[in-house]
Amino acid sequence: MDFASTSAPNLPVVDIAGINGTVEESQLVATDIRNACLTNGFFYVINHGVDQDLQDRLELISQRFFSLPIEAKMLLRMELGGKAWRGYFPLGDELTSGKPDQKEGLYFGEELGKEDLRVRKGVPLHGPNLFDPSIPEMREVVLDYMAAMKRLGHLIMGGLAVSLGLERQFFRHHLMTDPLTLFRIFHYPPVEGSGKSELWGVGEHTDYGVLTILKQDDTGGLQVKGPGGWIDAPPVEGSFVCNIGDMLDRMTHGLYKSTPHRVKNRSNTSRYSYPFFFDPDFNAVVKPLPIWVAEGQQRAKEERWDMLDIHAFEGTYGQYIVEKVGKVFPDLIGKIND
């Protein structure tokens, strides 16, 4: 890909086309991923195979929905999603480190009907999505996009596995046979007022899970905390931004570190982003991987921005993520516990 017409990337760019190629091609991709994970924990992927027309359609339905009046958007409010935790939340309702974000959004997950055993049992984060009937194509576009992201997620995890000296399908066979997939559409309106410089679309945080695949528009605003301080992660045409989360940090004994990042819309127009979270099976027991890590490569608790010890967790991924999501939407935690 020619980067001459795009913003200069400040993070590594990984051409993922070769991951399912020859052993040599796969190893070259894995080496690029490993180098990115050992330094920034963030990287762009190109030649990913996700249809551009599908992405364009996703952008159109997002702009249509978020241009609706608040009364119309609240017809899809998250309270109606129950334990599935799907739907719309208004500006300021989502918290990062206890502080309201300057964004509104739509939450989606794997589309499951009431006949699904997990739904019948009331398993949290499982169930049907909420789609706006005034945008009839929303259901098809969102579900098609999530299916494309799921395929890409397995592809990238294959590269991550090889980068760690594991068999390419290790994660798919052992932890992500039925991955928990969560998808968000976020709208960051322009921030107005004299104190806008202190307001963050999303404050400093690390992602909870294993892998995040982010589609961002051309507005910019994403920043990553690199070894030398905060750096911009500008949009790169035809790419997705990937980053590793706390659970991969834990599983790799701290070798691959989850990196703090934040978002601020500095433009005078709306910003849209589309994070897709690709995580272990809900019932998968999360534990360190069978890899060797040199002494000194594990990160100490006091080095983390939030002082949390992510390596102390024991249990299933479902237990972990339900607790985490409850802190983002504390007013909805009763929907899980009912």
Side-chain angles (χ1 to χ4, degrees):
M1 179 179 178
D2 179 12
F3 289 101
S5 61
T6 66
S7 299
N10 295 321
L11 300 170
V13 178
V14 178
D15 185 339
I16 202 168
I19 193 60
N20 284 336
T22 65
V23 172
E24 292 77 12
E25 290 170 337
S26 179
Q27 189 60 58
L28 284 173
V29 177
T31 298
D32 287 344
I33 290 175
R34 181 179 178 87
N35 290 337
C37 291
L38 289 174
T39 53
N40 298 94
F42 271 76
F43 53 95
Y44 298 91
V45 293
I46 59 171
N47 292 326
H48 43 68
V50 178
D51 183 62
Q52 186 59 51
D53 180 66
L54 176 59
Q55 297 184 56
D56 294 342
R57 292 164 64 203
L58 179 67
E59 292 180 3
L60 287 174
I61 65 110
S62 303
Q63 292 163 10
R64 285 178 59 185
F65 177 79
F66 287 107
S67 67
L68 294 172
I70 184 64
E71 296 80 10
K73 290 183 285 190
M74 288 299 287
L75 294 176
L76 269 65
R77 62 191 180 277
M78 290 189 71
E79 289 87 344
L80 301 177
K83 288 188 174 184
W85 277 28
R86 315 286 171 83
Y88 170 76
F89 68 88
L91 188 69
D93 266 26
E94 185 169 87
L95 306 181
T96 299
S97 301
K99 297 180 180 180
D101 294 336
Q102 297 302 303
K103 71 176 188 294
E104 57 181 339
L106 272 172
Y107 269 44
F108 300 99
E110 183 181 1
E111 179 70 359
L112 300 173
K114 61 183 179 180
E115 73 285 351
D116 186 277
L117 182 60
R118 292 161 293 183
V119 179
R120 285 164 36 200
K121 289 184 175 181
V123 178
L125 304 182
H126 292 74
N129 290 293
L130 300 178
F131 298 107
D132 191 331
S134 73
I135 309 176
E137 62 270 38
M138 177 184 280
R139 176 188 176 91
E140 177 185 0
V141 171
V142 167
L143 295 183
D144 284 354
Y145 184 79
M146 289 187 65
M149 288 293 100
K150 186 174 180 179
R151 291 191 293 271
L152 180 57
H154 279 303
L155 188 66
I156 296 170
M157 290 308 302
L160 279 163
V162 176
S163 79
L164 291 164
L166 301 169
E167 187 271 324
R168 188 169 62 191
Q169 298 298 326
F170 177 89
F171 288 104
R172 190 167 195 164
H173 291 162
H174 297 283
L175 287 165
M176 293 173 160
T177 304
D178 184 21
L180 182 67
T181 55
L182 304 173
F183 175 50
R184 314 293 187 238
I185 301 176
F186 290 146
H187 170 229
Y188 300 82
V191 178
E192 300 177 355
S194 59
K196 66 180 181 180
S197 62
E198 300 177 2
L199 297 176
W200 288 91
V202 181
E204 181 178 352
H205 68 287
T206 52
D207 290 345
Y208 302 138
V210 168
L211 175 68
T212 304
I213 309 172
L214 173 72
K215 169 182 169 60
Q216 57 176 335
D217 66 10
D218 58 4
T219 306
L222 173 63
Q223 293 185 329
V224 175
K225 200 169 190 178
W230 290 100
I231 58 175
D232 290 327
V236 171
E237 183 181 354
S239 76
F240 292 102
V241 179
C242 295
N243 66 277
I244 56 180
D246 291 344
M247 279 298 96
L248 191 60
D249 189 328
R250 166 176 162 68
M251 287 192 291
T252 62
H253 311 264
L255 178 66
Y256 287 1
K257 297 173 176 59
S258 53
T259 303
H261 50 288
R262 62 190 184 185
V263 175
K264 179 177 286 188
N265 183 5
R266 295 187 176 87
S267 72
N268 294 318
T269 186
S270 291
R271 177 186 189 268
Y272 293 89
S273 71
Y274 309 83
F276 180 83
F277 302 97
F278 192 72
D279 292 330
D281 302 358
F282 193 81
N283 293 318
V285 176
V286 181
K287 55 186 178 181
L289 295 170
I291 61 174
W292 179 82
V293 177
E295 185 177 355
Q297 289 186 307
Q298 299 186 32
R299 179 168 57 189
K301 175 179 177 180
E302 57 269 21
E303 291 183 46
R304 272 185 63 95
W305 63 279
D306 56 5
M307 301 299 290
L308 293 179
D309 184 5
I310 60 174
H311 299 274
F313 172 76
E314 299 286 346
T316 66
Y317 188 73
Q319 294 170 324
Y320 167 81
I321 195 63
V322 167
E323 177 186 349
K324 293 295 185 180
V325 176
K327 293 180 180 179
V328 176
F329 290 104
D331 291 342
L332 294 178
I333 190 61
K335 302 292 183 182
I336 294 289
N337 295 327
D338 286 348

